[in-house]
Amino acid sequence: MDHVDHILVVDDDREIRQMVADYLQKNGLRATVAADGREMRALLDTHAVDLIVLDLMMPGEDGLTLCRNLRAGKHRAIPVVMLTARDDQTDRIIGLEMGADDYVTKPFAARELLARIKAVIRRTRMLPPNLQVTQASRTIAFGRWRLDTTARHLLDPDDTVVALSGAEFRLLHVFLDHANRVLTRDQLLNLTQGRDAEHFERSIDLLVSRLRQRLQDDAREQSYIKTVRSEGYVFSMPVSLLGDGE
């Protein structure tokens, strides 16, 4: 039997969440609804979910808080599409920085939301299955560095913190998840920038250069991120998982 993608719609507005769920189901998807973070967590613990549609503005735990907690917990691999009631660029940027994969601004057309959901799921599955190491441990070790995936920063051998921008973290996250795989520029753009990839067409090389500087990776020696001519980049350093106390 073919897999039917299961979408969890989290919104405190009953009419909106039911409207979205009904539309998704009419278009061949499975949909479940939750009114708040408590219901969302309960459903995630008992159901396999392929994507979460998450409202930004909710009483109590808002969407940004829930998204940040999702990315730090056991369900961190589930993609998130954020719903925001305001056409505010700051909200969108913060949502993406917190780990949302895409956003749709209210009021929205259900057809647009469906298209965004399908695009995010397609991006999530665009690469062959891999170890997804950053989903299994809070701390990832590679070379002389460790990455704290919860705090989103690098640690050198002396435990000195090296802050990463959101874009730098997402790029390193992708490289660690797909170590020793050649990734094209288009794949890196889609996996790190999502719907805004068209605005960053010439920036992926610059972003790789910035990440190399953070890692103190010599552009000529390229110990961590190697350039593959006419193809893209490969993260060539062995990756290992550490327990929280290591």
Side-chain angles (χ1 to χ4, degrees), residues 39-60:
E39 290 187 9
M40 178 192 77
R41 288 186 288 269
L43 286 163
L44 288 174
D45 286 339
T46 56
H47 294 72
V49 172
D50 295 288
L51 181 141
I52 300 171
V53 175
L54 182 59
D55 186 32
L56 174 68
M57 300 297 292
M58 293 191 295

Side-chain angles (χ1 to χ4, degrees), residues 6-23:
H6 184 194
I7 314 302
L8 176 57
V9 182
V10 185
D11 196 309
D12 64 305
D13 187 315
R14 182 179 179 278
E15 290 187 5
I16 289 179
R17 65 177 182 263
Q18 201 57 56
M19 178 272 290
V20 171
D22 289 346
Y23 185 82

Side-chain angles (χ1 to χ4, degrees), residues 20-215:
V20 171
D22 289 346
Y23 185 82
L24 296 179
Q25 289 176 155
K26 288 178 182 177
N27 283 273
L29 301 177
R30 180 184 172 199
T32 303
V33 298
D36 53 29
R38 180 185 60 79
E39 290 187 9
M40 178 192 77
R41 288 186 288 269
L43 286 163
L44 288 174
D45 286 339
T46 56
H47 294 72
V49 172
D50 295 288
L51 181 141
I52 300 171
V53 175
L54 182 59
D55 186 32
L56 174 68
M57 300 297 292
M58 293 191 295
E61 293 179 288
D62 63 15
L64 293 177
T65 300
L66 292 175
C67 189
R68 182 177 64 242
N69 292 340
L70 280 169
R71 289 297 173 252
K74 61 184 177 181
H75 302 295
R76 68 186 70 183
I78 301 175
V80 173
V81 173
M82 191 80 77
L83 299 180
T84 172
R86 296 172 297 184
D87 190 13
D88 186 331
Q89 185 176 12
T90 301
D91 283 344
R92 297 198 299 270
I93 292 173
I94 292 175
L96 294 173
E97 292 294 321
M98 290 296 183
D101 297 89
D102 205 343
Y103 62 86
V104 176
T105 303
K106 292 181 179 178
F108 58 86
R111 184 176 179 181
E112 178 191 2
L113 177 60
L114 176 63
R116 298 295 179 195
I117 288 171
K118 289 184 174 181
V120 169
I121 290 175
R122 185 169 61 250
R123 288 202 307 271
T124 302
R125 296 171 180 163
M126 68 182 293
L127 293 176
N130 58 78
L131 295 177
Q132 289 291 324
V133 294
T134 63
Q135 312 305 333
S137 175
R138 169 180 169 167
T139 307
I140 315 300
F142 53 97
R144 60 189 294 270
W145 299 97
R146 286 167 293 144
L147 178 70
D148 185 324
T149 61
T150 301
R152 297 188 165 209
H153 58 227
L154 280 170
L155 294 167
D156 71 9
D158 298 320
D159 286 334
T160 301
V161 172
V162 177
L164 297 174
S165 70
E168 290 164 352
F169 173 81
R170 289 193 296 273
L171 179 61
L172 181 55
H173 187 286
V174 168
F175 276 133
L176 293 177
D177 267 350
H178 306 283
N180 299 309
R181 292 182 184 274
V182 176
L183 299 175
T184 68
R185 288 172 175 82
D186 284 344
Q187 287 174 325
L188 290 171
L189 282 167
N190 281 322
L191 289 166
T192 58
Q193 306 296 346
R195 70 180 285 186
D196 292 327
E198 63 268 22
H199 301 306
F200 295 86
E201 285 181 355
R202 285 185 261 178
S203 73
I204 198 66
D205 294 326
L206 177 60
L207 188 55
V208 168
S209 177
R210 281 168 41 194
L211 184 56
R212 279 175 171 157
Q213 290 176 16
R214 300 286 193 213
L215 298 174

